Amino acid sequence: MTTVTVRVPEALHARVPAEQRGPGLDRDGVRLLVSRGTEVSHHAFAALPGLLAAGDLLVVNTSPTLAAAVDGRIGHARVVVHFSTRGDDGRWAVELRDPDGRGTTRARAGGPAGTEVRLPRDVRLVLEEPLSGRGERLWWARVSSAAVAGLLRKHGRPIRYSYTERDQPLSVYQTVFALPSEDGAGSAEMPSAGRPFTARLVAELVSRGVQFAPVSLHTGVASAEAHEPPYPERFAVPEASARLVNAARAGGGRVVAVGTTAVRAVESATGSDGVVRAREGWTDLVVTPERGVRVVDGLLTGLHEPEASHLLMLEAVAGRAAIDRAYGAAIEGRYLWHEFGDVHLILPERAPHTEHC
């Protein structure tokens, strides 16, 4: 169970990206709430380099965002298919949604098995079985054409939720860290904690001695209504990034994950001895306060809905009291929520431990 009990007013839903809110603004034109224990302070995101130190390490997710929403039909009924995750057997985990007439979608009952969806380019998609026993929102589906990546490029659009004002081009949903995957894999939803970074800001951080460790985690479609725990997702922690994390900890630097996806990836590659090793595959790790974190000292993340399962991860990093205090301050300070909103930097109260060097 999550613990944050605040209600997010409609006026605090970020409806457009920062760079579209006024002339002269860039992606980094968002606000930054900083937590150190239960102490909070308020900054512009552009002040981030001054809040970090030489030797600190930012773990960033390089997964590109896919144009994962495609229009289809079941008989004469219109549906929207959200492509979530590509399985190793060539099937895709998908979510079917109903168009709501406003350019966004609403939840739709899943299944049944054998349901056929007609997609553009004469592609047929057939539901085979639910992704898990937890519910029937996501289904494994067989697609008649193997070229799903081409289908998404030509006919897909970014997944959009009802709190946003209008459709945006895919470029708006790509972070500065995104790298194309050789197999066309990517994230159904943007790893949004990295969105406020610009090339200029990255260069300033590097010039101050802050390092970057790239990892990848291809995030699937979140549950906008039910806030389910995350499903298994594909990830990779390269050897060079594992060495960077271990070296930062040995040198007394802080390991700060950029986004909950980066936490999930790097913690999935960390042994019980606190050492990070190169690893790739599927992770079903759910970071909770009971499990805790092994190598992550801090976290840069967006502001999550009070019901969101991500908040358990935030509590694992900072503790319940710190998150309660931060979210109360965010509401009071009228910070903006969701993927185009403001961001929250959680830093340790004291220097990180170095015993796992």
Side-chain angles (χ1 to χ4, degrees):
M1 290 289 291
T2 53
T3 59
V4 175
T5 57
V6 298
R7 185 185 68 83
V8 182
E10 288 284 327
L12 300 188
H13 293 187
R15 303 193 182 281
V16 295
E19 63 271 23
Q20 296 178 16
R21 293 180 200 144
L25 294 178
D26 204 342
R27 288 179 171 223
D28 59 2
V30 297
R31 299 169 67 194
L32 178 65
L33 179 73
V34 178
S35 295
R36 293 182 178 88
T38 56
E39 294 183 6
V40 299
S41 56
H42 306 275
H43 308 264
F45 185 77
L48 179 65
L51 296 166
L52 300 176
D56 287 344
L57 178 71
L58 293 175
V59 181
V60 297
N61 187 0
T62 62
S63 176
T65 306
L66 301 175
V70 180
D71 292 324
R73 287 187 178 273
I74 299 176
H76 296 293
R78 294 178 57 224
V79 296
V80 178
V81 180
H82 287 176
F83 283 83
S84 181
T85 305
R86 185 179 63 81
D88 292 337
D89 60 358
R91 296 187 300 175
W92 278 81
V94 302
E95 179 186 26
L96 302 189
R97 308 272 296 183
D98 286 325
D100 62 7
R102 300 189 299 271
T104 52
T105 61
R106 56 177 175 264
R108 173 191 177 93
T115 297
E116 181 179 280
V117 183
R118 301 195 312 278
L119 300 174
R121 299 172 68 176
D122 294 323
V123 173
R124 296 290 189 271
L125 179 148
V126 179
L127 302 185
E128 293 192 345
E129 59 182 334
L131 185 65
S132 82
R134 292 199 305 235
E136 296 193 349
R137 182 177 66 87
L138 291 171
W139 283 68
W140 284 116
R142 188 76 60 180
V143 185
S144 63
S145 168
V148 172
L151 175 73
L152 299 185
R153 280 195 300 270
K154 186 166 184 180
H155 298 283
R157 61 185 179 277
I159 291 174
R160 177 190 157 205
Y161 291 113
S162 59
Y163 50 76
T164 57
E165 185 175 290
R166 57 181 176 269
D167 285 346
Q168 300 283 350
L170 184 60
S171 59
V172 165
Y173 290 88
Q174 300 294 8
T175 74
V176 72
F177 306 114
L179 296 173
S181 301
E182 290 183 7
D183 60 359
S187 290
E189 296 179 355
M190 171 177 56
S192 55
R195 190 184 191 280
F197 285 86
T198 62
R200 179 201 60 78
L201 189 64
V202 170
E204 183 178 353
L205 286 161
V206 171
S207 73
R208 289 174 177 247
V210 176
Q211 293 185 295
F212 290 82
V215 300
S216 69
L217 185 136
H218 300 315
T219 183
V221 177
S223 169
E225 291 82 21
H227 299 293
E228 303 156 347
Y231 287 88
E233 293 167 321
R234 291 172 60 193
F235 82 104
V237 175
E239 176 64 38
S241 294
R243 288 199 303 266
L244 282 168
V245 175
N246 295 329
R249 289 177 60 77
R254 295 172 293 187
V255 176
V256 179
V258 177
T260 56
T261 60
V263 176
R264 196 182 200 198
V266 73
E267 291 286 328
S268 296
T270 304
S272 58
D273 56 0
V275 176
V276 182
R277 297 174 177 85
R279 189 178 168 196
E280 62 180 304
W282 291 85
T283 178
D284 59 2
L285 175 66
V286 178
V287 178
T288 64
E290 292 73 28
R291 189 267 186 191
V293 289
R294 294 173 176 170
V295 295
V296 170
D297 301 303
L299 171 61
L300 180 72
T301 183
L303 293 164
H304 303 282
E305 290 283 2
E307 303 87 358
S309 59
H310 295 87
L311 288 175
L312 291 172
M313 182 184 290
L314 273 61
E315 288 182 24
V317 175
R320 172 177 174 170
I323 300 306
D324 282 343
R325 173 72 182 92
Y327 272 62
I331 292 289
E332 183 180 352
R334 301 194 65 76
Y335 279 70
L336 297 180
W337 255 251
H338 304 303
E339 65 267 32
F340 297 144
D342 298 316
V343 282
H344 180 199
L345 175 63
I346 300 169
L347 293 175
E349 293 184 82
R350 58 183 183 275
H353 297 294
T354 58
E355 63 264 36
H356 295 307
C357 56

